[in-house]
Amino acid sequence: MNETDSTELSKHSLDLRVINSLPAAPLGQPEFAAFSTAGGAVAKSRDPNQTLTFAGPSATEVGNEVADLQTKATSPIEAIPVELFQTVMLEVVKESLSLPIPDYYNTVTRMRLVCRRWTRTLEGMPEIWTNLSLDMDQRAIDLVLSRSMHSPLTVRGHLSSSPTLDKLLQHTYRWKILDVSVAYEGTMDRLAPHSVPLLEELRLSPPVPTPHIILFKDSAPMLRIVSIRFDGIRWSTSLLSNLHELNLFRVQRGAPDVDTFLQILSNSPQLTLLRVTRTIFSLSNYSHLPRSRIALLSLGSLELNRLDHDILKQIIDCIEVPICTKCLFSLDLDGGESEATFGNQRLEPLSQRLIALAEVSRGTKSTFTLCNAPDGWEGTVRVTYESEADRHGTLTVEVDVTYRAIIDAMVYFAHRLSQCEPNPVRPALRIVNPPHGDNTGNELELLQRLHNHLPDTEEIMIEDPSSGFIKDAVDKLFPSNHSFRLFPQLSALIIRASIHEDWAEHWLQRQQKRQDKQRGFHPLSLQALRIEGGTISTEMVKGLEKVVSKLVLNRVTVG
């Protein structure tokens, strides 16, 4: 296909034209009259009652058409049965389903431009025309509703009272996915009385809390995925049942009370994903009463982000999830925390999950990661525990604290991990973006306190873009005075930094002084030093090779 024949789909309209690669008789579909086209292939008549007219081909085009007909007679693709050909085209189009809807229809349009047979085939496949964006103009929406016939629809965009809404409400019986933000409360009222027997996925941003509106007659038998953003709805345990995925994002007005939320979970035992972010739950009159635990044995991912710590504890205490579930918990703590404060009930439910995972992973390699300021968020500590054990889910805990409490938060989880039964395979310790300042107090305090709880650690990785922590850490790990050494079982050290020159030069100078005092060369007991990323000079590489048994460079620029 020549580039001059390509047609792009704008945000608001579909430009669907058929090139003259084969002789084209007027197709006569009335929906084409809604589109004006470029290039003279299809022209919209001035009289809206007239059918489409096609510009006659030039002599060159006639010659091309004859050649195309000769090719058609011998082309293998022309011999494919139409049913198989439709299956192939459907698979090609499916690859574009993850794109925005306008880009999706760009793909369909380009396929239509190949030849008249492809056009007829695509226009005769209703399942291809089931994606509807409310950002498209009225003519394009009419075209999609017409061509999709009775196939299930996907509707996305900003929904408001308009002629478009009137047309969409005539097709609620075939809505499959509804992903909309609603402009007015009156629009929610208009949605309420309609039935949605095929609706499987509901992603909704109401304009205001609407606890009084009974959506979809309180019934959606096929509903499996629900995502509610910003404002609450009527939290019907009839409508919200048998779910597979539930996502509440920043529902700060009209959120359900804890008991209603737990009842929704109880009605959805096949839940595979549960994500709740910055949602303000209320306590019911029965929140203080003991509850039976809710078994969510199919849950693959559990995320409870930035919730009130009392609410977080209640939810964790009331649900039972498999050991293979991937968990992310995060919460805000008030200022003025100390190490003792971290032992209270705020973090206890989170550390219980850590202990359970550690017990299951005994005998297998695991990794314990302490990260300061993940994603650039100062004052946030991220703790991750993952294991190579079969069907072992990862635990990630994020805690927002004051700067002076960062080390306390890290050490708290190391302390809880140390209370487990000893693992014959020691966890690898990862320290990412460690806190440090103008003095070495923070560096020495963190390493010393981690050593107190995890003294048998055999592998440590330090990732520090500034290299400030690394410089002081290697001094503490390998001091000149061997009367005391942190992590005496340490056999592998991994260092990640953007520039390795400073810490390497500092370390080699210290080792040289040590050798001068001892009047001889004594290699370090470290079995392997692994340097990852960044740059280092050839001189430093040669020097490090003399003091460690094995030096490994991974993605390092040497020069």
Side-chain angles (χ1 to χ4, degrees), residues 269-280:
Q270 298 302 314
L271 205 64
T272 61
L273 181 148
L274 175 59
R275 180 185 296 120
V276 185
T277 303
R278 295 189 183 277
T279 292
I280 302 179

Side-chain angles (χ1 to χ4, degrees), residues 243 292 310 544:
L243 302 180
S292 58
D310 290 330
L544 292 173

Side-chain angles (χ1 to χ4, degrees), residues 507-519:
W507 194 24
L508 290 174
Q509 289 175 354
R510 292 290 299 270
Q511 294 304 313
Q512 183 62 50
K513 292 179 180 179
R514 171 180 161 233
Q515 292 178 24
D516 293 342
K517 289 181 180 180
Q518 298 178 354
R519 298 181 180 179

Side-chain angles (χ1 to χ4, degrees), residues 231-381:
D231 287 297
I233 60 173
R234 183 177 184 271
W235 302 100
S236 167
T237 55
S238 299
L239 179 68
L240 305 176
S241 62
N242 296 315
L243 302 180
H244 291 175
E245 296 183 14
L246 177 60
N247 179 21
L248 305 184
F249 179 76
R250 290 181 176 270
V251 182
Q252 300 184 1
R253 299 187 303 172
D257 61 55
V258 174
D259 285 292
T260 300
F261 176 71
L262 292 175
Q263 186 60 50
I264 292 172
L265 299 186
S266 179
N267 291 349
S268 302
Q270 298 302 314
L271 205 64
T272 61
L273 181 148
L274 175 59
R275 180 185 296 120
V276 185
T277 303
R278 295 189 183 277
T279 292
I280 302 179
F281 291 97
S282 58
L283 296 175
S284 72
N285 296 329
Y286 307 99
S287 297
H288 64 285
L289 299 178
R291 305 182 182 91
S292 58
R293 290 173 64 84
I294 301 168
L296 301 177
L297 303 183
S298 299
L299 198 64
S301 178
L302 171 63
E303 298 184 18
L304 302 176
N305 299 303
R306 302 305 191 271
L307 304 182
D308 174 85
H309 55 82
D310 290 330
I311 297 294
L312 178 64
K313 182 180 185 304
Q314 286 192 45
I315 295 175
I316 292 177
D317 288 345
C318 289
I319 60 176
E320 177 185 350
V321 301
I323 203 68
C324 62
T325 302
K326 181 179 179 180
C327 296
L328 169 61
F329 304 133
S330 63
L331 72 163
D332 299 324
L333 294 180
D334 297 332
E337 303 88 346
S338 63
E339 182 181 11
T341 306
F342 283 97
N344 66 19
Q345 295 181 353
R346 291 183 173 186
L347 292 180
E348 185 63 22
L350 312 186
S351 62
Q352 287 296 331
R353 180 71 179 181
L354 172 64
I355 293 174
L357 293 176
E359 294 292 348
V360 171
S361 62
R362 292 185 74 250
T364 60
K365 184 176 180 180
S366 58
T367 303
F368 182 58
T369 303
L370 304 172
C371 178
N372 173 45
D375 307 319
W377 291 100
E378 291 293 338
T380 298
V381 174

